[in-house]
Amino acid sequence: MSVRRSRVAGLLLAAGEGSRLGTPKALVEHEGERLVDRGVRLLEEGGCHPVVVVVGAATVQVRGAVVVRNPDWRSGMGSSLRVGLAALPEQAEAVVVALVDQPFIRPEAVRALVASGARLAVATYGGRRRNPVLLSRGDFAEVARLAVGDVGARPFIKAHPELVTEVPCDGLGDPADIDTPADLGRLSREG
């Protein structure tokens, strides 16, 4: 099903404490820019407006974004996704959900998801499904209901394979996440 939409919001999940990293990922700096600011820029330059950032472990102010706090952030990504979806403005027809710990994804990947016109679009790299993902407003309630523990939209995607449009994003960035000090070292070397 192809959908023409003009109002796609962005949602950046940035609430975790980065327990394996030793610091909240949102606050990590790369080339003088915090990962949270980099994530907001990814979504903005990808064509999303407004951008909502869900925080939790760290209090973070982000210019140009709506910041909402997830008081239950310790329960995992599912609660952050629910908080973020609930914070989106009514006029948002869809949302692109991105994770703060994937700093090498480029805005072109976000634009490709939006341009797909899909009801449910998932970025793929090397044929593997990764983030970001695009969700349509009509699915927000079920996505939120299924997002529990440390999973986000994955249960919804798994329950509705007929809705999924895979959007190849090879060459549009690297979906590697920053989870450990070694990953952070790699980020510094590759930057």
Side-chain angles (χ1 to χ4, degrees):
M1 174 175 132
S2 182
V3 179
R4 248 184 108 74
R5 50 174 77 88
S6 58
R7 292 182 294 260
V8 178
L11 176 55
L12 184 67
L13 303 183
E17 68 182 334
S19 58
R20 289 186 288 165
L21 187 59
T23 188
K25 296 173 186 179
L27 302 178
V28 171
E29 285 197 17
H30 176 61
E31 296 180 342
E33 182 180 39
R34 296 178 307 175
L35 293 188
V36 68
D37 298 312
R38 195 176 187 100
V40 168
R41 185 168 49 82
L42 163 77
L43 291 166
E44 286 177 340
E45 290 178 6
C48 299
H49 183 77
V51 174
V52 173
V53 178
V54 180
V55 300
T59 301
V60 181
Q61 296 301 316
V62 186
R63 185 173 301 161
V66 176
V67 177
V68 295
R69 181 162 174 71
N70 175 9
D72 195 26
W73 61 268
R74 283 184 178 87
S75 68
M77 187 188 321
S79 64
S80 290
L81 181 57
R82 290 192 306 274
V83 166
L85 290 174
L88 294 172
E90 286 182 29
Q91 58 269 39
E93 299 167 357
V95 64
V96 174
V97 181
L99 307 180
V100 75
D101 66 352
Q102 294 181 312
F104 293 122
I105 292 175
R106 297 201 321 253
E108 294 86 351
V110 174
R111 284 196 288 271
L113 292 173
V114 174
S116 73
R119 174 176 168 182
L120 171 59
V122 180
T124 64
Y125 301 84
R128 287 189 57 217
R129 291 180 179 176
R130 298 292 304 262
N131 288 298
V133 300
L134 178 140
L135 306 167
S136 294
R137 174 163 290 283
D139 297 320
F140 288 3
E142 187 176 356
V143 170
R145 184 177 61 79
L146 294 174
V148 294
D150 205 26
V151 295
R154 192 176 327 132
F156 178 79
I157 292 167
K158 190 173 181 180
H160 296 285
E162 76 283 1
L163 300 180
V164 176
T165 297
E166 292 185 347
V167 178
C169 291
D170 300 292
L172 303 181
D174 179 349
D177 15 341
I178 306 302
D179 288 326
T180 66
D183 296 336
L184 190 54
R186 182 178 47 80
L187 174 67
S188 298
R189 286 189 304 276
E190 292 178 9

